[in-house]
């Protein structure tokens, strides 16, 4: 499983030793990513979780896909990574809330906000996961600019890792999906039960 230790919470379903891997590259402010996230949560994840048909056979990894043509994409992905570090068990629930509320982070709604104000909005969103005061404070600290003029924030290294991973795998847009490390271009954000059932039946061989 290609994940640096600090990003293990990006494994959102399945066991780390599962033989098959579904990597889902999502951008928090991409409407098609929102559609795919709902299919993953409602259709695929239950099949992979405990008691599901493919328990122990598939793991699902969330891959942060920053798309810089969306102005707030970087800020939202920093927030997701900060949650992964301070409250790993809340990462997927935060991601779903953010994807479902992504309209608030589109270009026009955020055009008059400063980066600090956008991060404050994201902290309020984190509260909706049931995060404690200590977790929210830790989240906020991770998203504070460092002392140097161009040093980024405390999750910048994790953000760099996710961007490099996408680039080396030739992933340019969201949503994109890898099955066992190979781009599965046939997978669509519009897939429902029938398509996912057929795909998994054909692909899972153990």
């Amino acid at each position: 499983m290609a994940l640096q230790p600090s990003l293990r919470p990006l494994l959102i379903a399945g066991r780390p030793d599962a033989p098959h891997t579904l990597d889902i590259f999502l951008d928090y402010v991409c409407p098609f990513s929102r559609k795919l996230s709902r299919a993953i949560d409602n259709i695929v994840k239950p099949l992979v979780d405990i008691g599901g048909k493919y328990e122990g056979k598939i793991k699902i990894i969330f891959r942060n896909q920053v798309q810089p043509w969306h102005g707030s994409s970087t800020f939202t992905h920093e927030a997701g990574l900060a949650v992964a570090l301070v409250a790993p068990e809340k990462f997927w629930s935060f991601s779903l809330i953010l994807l479902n509320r992504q309209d608030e982070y589109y270009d026009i709604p955020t055009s008059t906000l400063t980066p600090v104000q956008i991060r404050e909005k994201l902290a309020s969103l984190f509260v909706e996961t049931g995060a404690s005061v200590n977790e929210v404070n830790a989240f906020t600290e991770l998203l504070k600019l460092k002392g140097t003029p161009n040093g980024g924030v405390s999750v910048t290294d994790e953000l760099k890792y996710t961007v490099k991973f996408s680039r080396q795998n030739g992933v340019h847009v969201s949503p994109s999906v890898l099955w066992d490390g190979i781009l599965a271009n046939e997978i669509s954000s519009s897939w429902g039960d029938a398509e996912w059932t057929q795909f998994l039946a054909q692909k899972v061989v153990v």
Side-chain angles (χ1 to χ4, degrees):
M1 179 176 60
L3 274 176
Q4 66 182 40
S6 65
L7 295 181
R8 292 297 290 272
L10 272 58
L11 173 66
I12 61 170
R15 298 202 305 257
D17 62 348
H20 292 293
T21 304
L22 189 72
D23 291 282
I24 54 170
F25 293 76
L26 304 179
D27 180 11
Y28 286 123
V29 287
C30 166
F32 299 102
S33 290
R34 173 165 55 189
K35 286 182 66 177
L36 182 59
S37 72
R38 290 170 177 171
I40 294 295
D41 195 56
N42 295 322
I43 301 170
V44 185
K45 196 169 177 292
L47 295 172
V48 175
D49 285 336
I50 296 174
K53 180 178 180 179
Y54 297 111
E55 177 188 353
K57 297 180 179 181
I58 303 171
K59 57 183 174 289
I60 305 174
I61 300 177
F62 180 104
R63 299 291 184 178
N64 299 79
Q65 180 65 16
V66 178
Q67 298 189 128
W69 49 88
H70 296 311
S72 66
S73 183
T74 295
F75 300 125
T76 58
H77 284 286
E78 286 175 343
L81 293 167
V83 172
L85 295 183
V86 304
E89 74 286 354
K90 296 182 175 69
F91 171 74
W92 181 235
S93 60
F94 174 80
S95 293
L96 289 174
I97 291 172
L98 178 50
L99 283 158
N100 286 326
R101 297 269 295 277
Q102 64 180 211
D103 310 58
E104 300 173 26
Y105 299 88
Y106 285 171
D107 293 344
I108 290 178
T110 59
S111 62
T112 59
L113 300 179
T114 67
V116 171
Q117 290 172 322
I118 294 173
R119 290 179 172 122
E120 288 174 349
K121 277 176 61 69
L122 290 162
S124 297
L125 211 60
F126 183 33
V127 172
E128 295 185 23
T129 67
S132 67
V133 172
N134 288 340
E135 287 172 335
V136 174
N137 288 339
F139 170 93
T140 301
E141 284 298 315
L142 287 178
L143 297 184
K144 284 184 178 178
L145 293 171
K146 295 181 179 179
T148 57
N150 204 29
V153 297
S154 293
V155 295
T156 296
D157 286 343
E158 282 74 17
L159 187 72
K160 288 179 180 178
Y161 172 89
T162 65
V163 171
K164 291 175 182 177
F165 187 85
S166 293
R167 288 177 178 174
Q168 78 171 14
N169 284 286
V171 177
H172 302 290
V173 296
S174 72
S176 292
V177 180
L178 303 185
W179 175 262
D180 289 345
I182 302 297
L183 275 170
N185 291 318
E186 68 270 33
I187 293 177
S188 167
S189 61
S190 298
W191 273 18
D193 282 289
E195 293 85 358
W196 276 110
T197 298
Q198 182 179 12
F199 176 84
L200 295 174
Q202 291 173 345
K203 295 294 186 179
V204 178
V205 296
V206 294

